[in-house]
């Protein structure tokens, strides 16, 4: 049953059908499936396949846009379930999350935001395509402890390094913990640029933040 629903969700997104994606997400919720399982093995897996087809020239941007719409619609249905998960008293810790400059991918960032909220963190979602300067200014204004940066393009990953350099140059490096993630980002890259943490998925993003704040 759960395999069938996962497959239905994966297929709906792979076939760019928002309606079918919503139906499958609803079925998943009604059947009590783990919303994270639905995200990782239904939604993200389908987007990975579409991404590969896109880079192979077998699929084009308008199709990716439709896939993103279907994914967003399915995540919206899962949102209340994600927020129901245990929030183990992380309140008072503020986290800012943003996608770096020149990058508008936000499906993953939004899932990280949801899970952080579910874990009890107070999250400032600063959106996409944000310059390092604006991220720093907003983090200072909001008094956040942790800054999470997302990048989905190899060409925008350098903005993560640039952000950490900006923190150093402005004498604010010790004030914030910086965690990074997104499709092409690796632990090695995170270490190389001097980030405090890396998360391969939203669950890890929460775990790493908890560890850093412990
Ligand atoms: C959907 C999509 C789009 C949508 C985005 C819609 C949206 N609202 O986000 C649209 C159609 C707009 C788009 C546009 C483009 N895209 Co695009 N896109 C994708 C696709 C298919 C899926 C991305 C996604 O949402 N994945 C699902 C989420 C859940 O995964 P995730 O983002 O990785 O997030 C998880 C983890 O990484 C982690 N995480 C994410 N952020 C963070 C942050 C922190 C702090 C932490 C700890 C963890 C963490 O947790 C998340 C949840 O588990 C990918 C393919 C792929 N395999 O990723 C290509 C892909 C990223 N796109 C690509 C490209 C080339 C583009 C364009 C340049 C295409 C063009 N010619 O215009 C533009 C760029 C626009 C821009 N300036 O940003 C390439 C990038 C290649 C590269 N080497 O850089 C990819 C890899 C496709 C490919 N294989 O060619 N895209």
């Amino acid at each position: 049953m759960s395999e069938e629903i996962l497959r239905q969700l994966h297929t709906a997104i792979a076939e760019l059908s928002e309606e079918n994606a919503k139906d499958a997400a609803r079925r998943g919720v009604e059947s009590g499936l783990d919303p994270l399982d639905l995200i990782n093995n239904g939604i993200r897996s389908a987007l990975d396949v579409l991404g590969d087809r896109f880079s192979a020239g077998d699929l084009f941007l308008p199709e990716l846009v439709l896939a993103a719409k279907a994914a967003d619609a399915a995540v919206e249905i899962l949102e209340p379930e994600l927020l129901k998960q245990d929030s183990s008293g992380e309140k008072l810790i503020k986290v800012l999350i943003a996608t770096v400059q020149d990058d508008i991918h936000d499906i993953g960032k939004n899932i990280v935001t949801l899970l952080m909220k579910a874990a009890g963190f107070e999250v400032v979602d600063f959106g996409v395509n944000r310059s390092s300067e604006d991220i720093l200014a907003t983090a200072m204004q909001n008094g956040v402890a942790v800054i999470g940066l997302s990048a989905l393009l190899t060409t925008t990953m350098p903005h993560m390094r640039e952000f950490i350099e900006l923190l150093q140059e402005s004498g604010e490096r010790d004030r914030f913990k910086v965690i990074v993630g997104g499709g092409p980002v690796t632990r090695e890259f995170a270490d190389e640029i001097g980030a405090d943490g890396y998360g391969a998925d939203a669950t890890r993003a929460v775990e790493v933040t908890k560890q850093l704040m412990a």
Side-chain angles (χ1 to χ4, degrees):
M1 171 72 154
S2 69
E3 280 302 314
E4 187 209 321
I5 296 173
L6 283 174
R7 205 169 34 245
Q8 191 191 346
L9 183 55
H10 180 102
T11 307
I13 290 174
E15 292 177 350
L16 318 176
S17 168
E18 182 175 337
E19 279 317 306
N20 291 351
K22 288 202 281 197
D23 280 349
R26 274 190 214 106
R27 272 190 78 200
V29 170
E30 280 156 17
S31 310
L33 298 193
D34 177 357
L36 282 173
D37 198 20
L38 290 162
I39 285 177
N40 292 330
N41 300 314
I43 301 174
R44 194 175 174 186
S45 60
L47 289 172
D48 281 345
V49 172
L50 293 172
D52 291 345
R53 288 184 56 199
F54 175 75
S55 47
D58 174 37
L59 192 105
F60 299 96
L61 202 56
E63 281 132 330
L64 274 197
V65 172
L66 289 178
K69 270 191 78 185
D72 274 338
V75 172
E76 202 180 314
I77 286 170
L78 301 178
E79 183 171 334
E81 299 308 307
L82 287 167
L83 290 173
K84 262 186 215 161
Q85 304 209 338
D86 169 48
S87 65
S88 43
E90 304 295 332
K91 292 261 181 312
L92 301 180
I93 293 175
K94 260 191 173 181
V95 182
L96 177 144
I97 300 193
T99 302
V100 298
Q101 190 163 7
D102 301 324
D103 199 326
I104 62 165
H105 294 87
D106 68 356
I107 299 175
K109 169 189 75 65
N110 294 344
I111 294 171
V112 172
T113 301
L114 274 172
L115 241 65
M116 290 272 195
K117 284 184 181 165
F121 293 106
E122 194 178 332
V123 185
V124 178
D125 181 350
F126 191 44
V128 299
N129 188 16
R130 298 302 189 187
S131 71
S132 294
E133 289 75 14
D134 285 352
I135 293 171
L136 177 55
T138 308
M140 307 254 279
Q141 274 159 22
N142 285 279
V144 307
V146 179
I147 299 172
L149 300 180
S150 183
L152 263 289
L153 298 172
T154 46
T155 50
T156 58
M157 283 166 63
H159 289 301
M160 293 176 156
R161 184 194 299 277
E162 170 197 280
F163 180 72
I164 290 176
E165 284 169 2
L166 176 67
L167 279 184
Q168 279 156 353
E169 283 157 17
S170 53
E172 304 291 352
R173 182 65 187 92
D174 294 339
R175 188 159 161 180
F176 305 103
K177 297 289 183 200
V178 181
I179 61 169
V180 293
V185 179
T186 60
R187 179 177 302 286
E188 290 68 35
F189 177 76
D191 291 343
E192 187 193 313
I193 65 172
D196 300 294
Y198 159 74
D201 58 29
T203 309
R204 276 302 293 160
V206 170
E207 285 168 6
V208 166
T209 308
K210 283 185 178 172
Q211 281 162 11
L212 289 171
M213 290 294 105

